[in-house]
Amino acid sequence: MKKILVTGGLGFIGSHTVVELQQQGFEVIVIDNLSNSSIDVLDGIKEITGVAPLFEELDLRDKEAVSHFFKKYDDVEGVIHFAASKAVGESVQNPLLYYENNLNTLVYLLQELSKKDSANFIFSSSCTVYGEPDSLPITEDAPVKPAQSPYGNTKQIGEEIIKDTCKVYEKLNAISLRYFNPIGAHESASIGELPLGVPQNLVPFITQTAAGLREQLSVFGDDYPTADGTNVRDYIHVFDLAKAHVVALKRLLESKNDGNFEIFNLGTGTGSSVLEVIKSFEKVSGENLNYKIAPRREGDVIAVYADTTKANEVLGWKSELTLDDAMSSAWKWEKKVRGLS
Ligand code: WQD
């Protein structure tokens, strides 16, 4: 059974990917420092697959600890690297936290992988690297724009670090996956998104408002040059995203290790506006969402959605779940977490 390391494996996308890896026959080791996740997620994973992954509580900023890990687990055949800070607004307030946590850790992991006879590495990136695109849908060769936040900058720099490393360490193959907007939860409601504090992202704010945790959703602007005036995003079900990671891992494991580095957009290829997401939620939940139109949020791009041709044709992956599926699963998860019927 091939052993795969998943860093940040107790997080939102990480935990869903651990489930898919186990269900596809991989043995999983999770590293997580529990700074933005809960140890209880291990139980959620076991509820679904019957197996709790191996778990090492470890902070990847500790270079010695990372080195010790790879001495202890010298048979890891692939690494899927989710562990990072990911709040755009927080990164503006605390850039050094983001540069240390998102980049030092990447360097320490790659230093260890470059010592191995062969290594396969998947990097969690983001459509945020594109900034405000010149044209839509966005392809992988669209220009990477000057980052609009330190968070986005760490994804751009991270990809450059990997590209430069693969050029020198030809036994290292890597894939960077640029996520659009991950939403939803596992159909079992055993795992899902667990934002700490007030959610920054739209969908958890919607479900928490409907669950009574938040007074009212503010829609940040309805005067944008879009069909209904609200921002457009490519909302992809987290379970489709998890499947894409396993497809990408198999591509690496089956390919000759020759320093190859590829980038793929992971989206549905369809844009949805904020108001369309709200309508989808109301349809699948039967709830009337309490929201108001508020001023624009600094840094929001007008519209962004993926051209998924490369992922479809080269990776052999396509999203299958719909916006309604995602909103329904997000609501089912929220009700489970809050003990609502
Ligand atoms: C989506 C839309 C908001 C909250 C960010 C990161 C991206 C990725 C996903 C990490 C926007 C509107 C939101 C609210 C609202 N994160 N909104 N009221 O900003 O597209 O992407 O999260 O990888 O890298 O940049 O996602 O969910 O914050 O916002 O109206 O209370 O919902 O204005 O139009 P975003 P989001």
Side-chain angles (χ1 to χ4, degrees):
M1 193 184 269
K2 291 187 185 298
K3 212 172 264 184
I4 306 299
L5 165 62
V6 180
T7 73
L10 297 189
F12 175 37
I13 307 169
S15 56
H16 288 79
T17 303
V18 169
V19 163
E20 185 62 12
L21 283 166
Q22 289 184 327
Q23 291 182 331
Q24 299 243 0
F26 291 97
E27 181 181 7
V28 179
I29 311 168
V30 167
I31 284 178
D32 206 300
N33 68 358
L34 301 177
S35 64
N36 191 22
S37 55
S38 160
I39 191 76
D40 297 342
V41 173
L42 281 175
D43 295 335
I45 293 169
K46 187 172 181 182
E47 257 174 48
I48 300 167
T49 66
V51 178
L54 295 169
F55 174 67
E56 294 279 351
E57 183 176 348
L58 188 158
D59 192 318
L60 294 171
R61 287 171 294 190
D62 180 343
K63 184 181 167 79
E64 288 313 307
V66 173
S67 185
H68 177 72
F69 174 91
F70 280 94
K71 288 189 181 69
K72 179 177 178 184
Y73 296 100
D74 60 1
D75 55 351
V76 165
E77 298 194 45
V79 177
I80 305 181
H81 180 42
F82 292 103
S85 302
K86 63 157 195 159
V88 173
E90 182 189 46
S91 77
V92 174
Q93 303 307 320
N94 195 342
L96 289 178
L97 168 76
Y98 274 68
Y99 289 117
E100 182 191 36
N101 194 39
N102 292 9
L103 296 179
N104 289 16
T105 55
L106 174 62
V107 169
Y108 299 157
L109 282 171
L110 292 176
Q111 284 173 330
E112 293 304 321
L113 292 181
S114 54
K115 297 172 189 171
K116 296 172 74 74
D117 294 338
S118 76
N120 301 291
F121 186 73
I122 293 176
F123 181 63
S124 168
S125 189
S126 168
C127 63
T128 203
V129 302
Y130 298 115
E132 188 76 68
D134 300 331
S135 64
L136 289 168
I138 303 179
T139 63
E140 288 82 355
D141 53 20
V144 169
K145 296 283 185 68
Q148 303 198 7
S149 70
Y151 161 73
N153 209 17
T154 65
K155 293 304 178 184
Q156 292 181 7
I157 298 168
E159 290 186 345
E160 291 300 311
I161 289 172
I162 298 164
K163 188 167 69 173
D164 290 343
T165 304
C166 287
K167 280 181 195 154
V168 176
Y169 297 106
E170 291 188 348
K171 293 299 177 195
L172 170 64
N173 275 9
I175 286 177
S176 179
L177 298 174
R178 290 175 176 171
Y179 313 151
F180 282 68
N181 285 58
I183 62 169
H186 191 270
E187 59 187 7
S188 63
S190 295
I191 54 175
E193 192 168 6
L194 277 172
L196 298 181
V198 179
Q200 299 303 304
N201 295 131
L202 176 65
V203 171
F205 205 106
I206 286 176
T207 57
Q208 287 192 14
T209 301
L213 271 81
R214 307 292 159 204
E215 188 56 41
Q216 181 181 50
L217 170 76
S218 294
V219 173
F220 296 140
D222 69 345
D223 56 351
Y224 285 98
T226 61
D228 64 16
T230 63
N231 289 149
V232 171
R233 296 289 183 274
D234 187 333
Y235 295 96
I236 176 169
H237 197 299
V238 64
F239 208 47
D240 276 328
L241 209 51
K243 290 180 182 172
H245 284 76
V246 183
V247 171
L249 176 70
K250 287 179 175 176
R251 178 177 174 84
L252 289 177
L253 293 172
E254 287 155 13
S255 59
K256 178 173 165 299
N257 283 65
D258 55 2
N260 193 34
F261 175 51
E262 295 176 295
I263 295 173
F264 295 97
N265 285 341
L266 294 185
T268 65
T270 303
S272 300
S273 74
V274 175
L275 290 179
E276 285 171 329
V277 173
I278 292 170
K279 284 191 188 70
S280 169
F281 175 76
E282 292 184 326
K283 181 173 88 173
V284 300
S285 66
E287 303 281 329
N288 276 323
L289 189 74
N290 179 10
Y291 70 91
K292 68 176 179 183
I293 303 300
R296 293 182 174 191
R297 179 173 71 173
E298 185 73 26
D300 275 335
V301 297
I302 300 165
V304 61
Y305 54 92
D307 181 314
T308 58
T309 308
K310 189 177 174 190
N312 302 159
E313 293 180 359
V314 177
L315 202 50
W317 166 89
K318 187 168 175 52
S319 66
E320 294 167 358
L321 298 165
T322 66
L323 178 63
D324 286 355
D325 294 331
M327 295 312 290
S328 176
S329 65
W331 180 227
K332 185 178 173 189
W333 164 249
E334 186 72 55
K335 288 191 289 184
K336 164 96 177 284
V337 169
R338 308 299 166 200
L340 302 173
S341 59

